[in-house]
Each structure stands twice: as structure tokens, then as C-alpha cells.
Amino acid sequence: MSRCASWSEGGDLTRQAMAGRLTGGLFTADRYHHQPEIDSTNRLAMALAQAGAAAGSVVVADAQSRGRGRMGRCWESPAGGNLYVSMVLRPEMPVAHAPRLTLLAGVALHEAVSAYGIRGARLKWPNDLLVDGRKMAGILTEMAAEGERIRHVVVGIGVNVNGCADGFSPEVAARAVTMADILHSPCDRAGVLAALLAAMEEWYVRYVRDGFAPVRAAWKERGLLTGCRACIDQAGATREVWLEDLDVEGFLLARTAGGELVRVVAGDVVMMG
Ligand code: BTN
């Protein structure tokens, strides 16, 4: 990631500024919440959902002090041009299908950054968007359930749009890439947010109407799968595998060196080579 004072900018994400760009029927301006700084947009979105906020409620912040990442990690969230957004959904579906929403969000994210000129982005199962092996964005889906049914879901997405390496720890800066790095110029953060919300709505409506098959097909077109070597870390055990496919449920299928086909339902995937 570059050290770039001039890219520490981006669009105005306030409701007033975004209202004209929220043109769909789900993520509307009246359900849009903006905070200059917050602990975690996912935390607030979950609290709003718990208190009855409608599906389509959105929480956006310019910075997060305790951004949440997958597997209990922290998502470093400096001010200065990145996107931190969480969306409330109330899908009528079983708890077991909730991980599909992460894959759906990945497809929407890929579409949004592609619309802003990012070429060659690939999805890494289950929740990362990479460009040349570096992380441009991540997704964290959280959920509340009543028995086997979902009560609400929050899909949180962090996108490195214009941020600078100076805002990150050296470890994160070494693995991250921004849209501005790839485009060699600042990127319209508000436009990326609008494109992301529009793509999310489109894919969500399609998923509710047509089921998971179109999402799976779209993810496979954009994902790191056949021919990719990876290390899979599941409950502390690490295995080198060749990635093969996404199964009909959205879980990862991988082949071990011994020829065994494994179905990965959780865990970390680290790309090799
Ligand atoms: C990951 O790659 O581990 C997932 C990162 C998700 C980060 C986003 S930023 C907006 C939303 N709010 C959070 O606290 N986390 C998600």
C-alpha cells in the first residue's frame, strides 16, 4: 500500500450527501445512518436491528475504533478515505443459510469495485476480496436467530478505498491494497458505497426470488478456485490443498495431496504461490 497524503480523502458519506445516490427500494435514505466515528458499524447495526430497525437499515462510519473482523480479529479502520458499512437484513431463511449472504456480498462487492475500474479482483472464500494477493476488502456477517430461523443479519463490509499505509499497522499495511493504489488516483468513496448498496440490493432480491444457484455461479466466476493452491487452517490443524469448487451449499471443496476431497465449512484459507 502506498504512503500517500493526497489520497486520504474521499466522498462525503453523510445522509444528506448520499440521499440522491440511494436510488433503490431497500437501502433508502430514511434508513441510512452516518457517524463520523464509532466503535463498530456492525455493533451499532446489530443493536439497531435488535431494537426493531427495518431491513435495509445501513450504518456507515468514517472511522472505527473497534472494527470487527472475522474470527474475533480486529479490522483496522483509520479515518481518511476508506469505507466501513453495515447493512441490516431480515431474510426469511434457516440459520444454516446465513453464510450464503457473505458470498452474496462478495459478488456485490466485486461488481462495485469493478464498476470503479478495478480489474483482476478475486474473491477468496469465504469473505475476502483480493487484488494480486493483497486484501482490498473484507466481509463480516453477524446474525441473531430464534430457534432455527434467522431474526436478523448484519452484513458488514470494509473496503480499502483511499486509505494510506500510515493509518495501518505494518502487518496490515504489508497485506493490504487500496482501490487508489490500483487506479493510481483517488477514488470516489461515496460512489463506491452507492454502487455497493445497489449491487447488494440487486443480488439480495435475486437470491430471495431465485435461490442460491445464481449467487453460487457468480461467485465461482469471480472466486479463487480451480488451480489455486492454499493452506487451510481448521481448528488449529493446517493442510495444504488444491482448491476445486464451491458446493451447492456454498462451502469450499478442496483436494489434499493424498487425493482426499475435503469440504471446508469454516476456518482460514491462506493462498499459496
Ligand atoms: C474480515 O476480513 O475479517 C472482515 C472485516 C469486516 C470489516 C467491516 S468494516 C464495517 C463492518 N464493521 C465492523 O466492525 N466490521 C465490518
Side-chain angles (χ1 to χ4, degrees):
M1 187 186 289
S2 68
R3 306 201 167 262
C4 47
S6 61
W7 291 348
S8 293
E9 52 187 57
D12 181 347
L13 302 182
T14 60
R15 180 189 301 191
Q16 197 182 14
M18 288 298 297
R21 303 179 97 156
L22 301 173
T23 52
L26 180 61
F27 303 116
T28 52
D30 58 320
R31 300 181 200 134
Y32 180 93
H33 306 263
H34 171 262
Q35 304 272 331
E37 179 163 2
I38 197 172
D39 52 351
S40 155
T41 57
N42 263 35
R43 201 269 314 147
L44 178 57
M46 284 294 281
L48 291 173
Q50 186 66 37
S57 298
V58 170
V59 179
V60 174
D62 294 312
Q64 299 183 117
S65 55
R66 295 172 70 86
R68 299 177 183 171
R70 193 167 161 261
M71 304 182 94
R73 299 189 190 109
C74 111
W75 181 259
E76 294 183 15
S77 311
N82 292 330
L83 265 185
Y84 314 110
V85 54
S86 300
M87 295 152 252
V88 176
L89 298 172
R90 296 188 179 278
E92 295 197 5
M93 63 189 207
V95 165
H97 291 185
R100 299 175 180 189
L101 296 172
T102 301
L103 304 177
L104 181 155
V107 171
L109 182 57
H110 189 282
E111 279 191 1
V113 303
S114 299
Y116 274 79
I118 302 297
R119 301 282 164 260
R122 307 296 291 171
L123 295 167
K124 177 170 81 77
W125 190 91
N127 71 318
D128 287 347
L129 183 79
L130 306 183
V131 178
D132 294 333
R134 293 175 149 230
K135 188 151 169 167
M136 181 170 280
I139 303 161
L140 176 67
T141 302
E142 299 188 82
M143 178 189 60
E146 266 165 12
E148 284 307 303
R149 303 301 296 178
I150 291 175
R151 201 162 168 262
H152 55 260
V153 168
V154 166
V155 179
I157 305 183
V159 190
N160 299 325
V161 183
N162 294 308
C164 290
D166 297 352
F168 291 107
S169 63
E171 303 76 54
V172 169
R175 289 184 280 110
V177 67
T178 68
M179 295 180 71
D181 287 338
I182 301 293
L183 300 171
H184 304 292
S185 64
C187 192
D188 171 17
R189 179 175 68 149
V192 175
L193 175 59
L196 177 58
L197 293 174
M200 268 302 289
E201 177 166 344
E202 195 182 315
W203 277 102
Y204 183 66
V205 168
R206 194 162 173 199
Y207 172 60
V208 170
R209 192 188 57 217
D210 301 335
F212 183 57
V215 176
R216 173 175 177 250
W219 198 98
K220 284 177 58 161
E221 277 170 24
R222 296 159 176 82
L224 292 163
L225 284 175
T226 319
C228 295
R229 220 160 147 243
C231 224
I232 295 183
D233 193 341
Q234 287 179 292
T238 303
R239 296 203 260 194
E240 282 184 29
V241 293
W242 289 96
L243 303 184
E244 278 207 358
D245 203 355
L246 201 63
D247 76 4
V248 291
E249 304 282 325
F251 297 118
L252 186 63
L253 296 175
R255 182 88 51 190
T256 66
E260 183 196 353
L261 190 64
V262 291
R263 186 175 189 245
V264 185
V265 299
D268 253 347
V269 177
V270 177
M271 302 312 296
M272 298 167 68

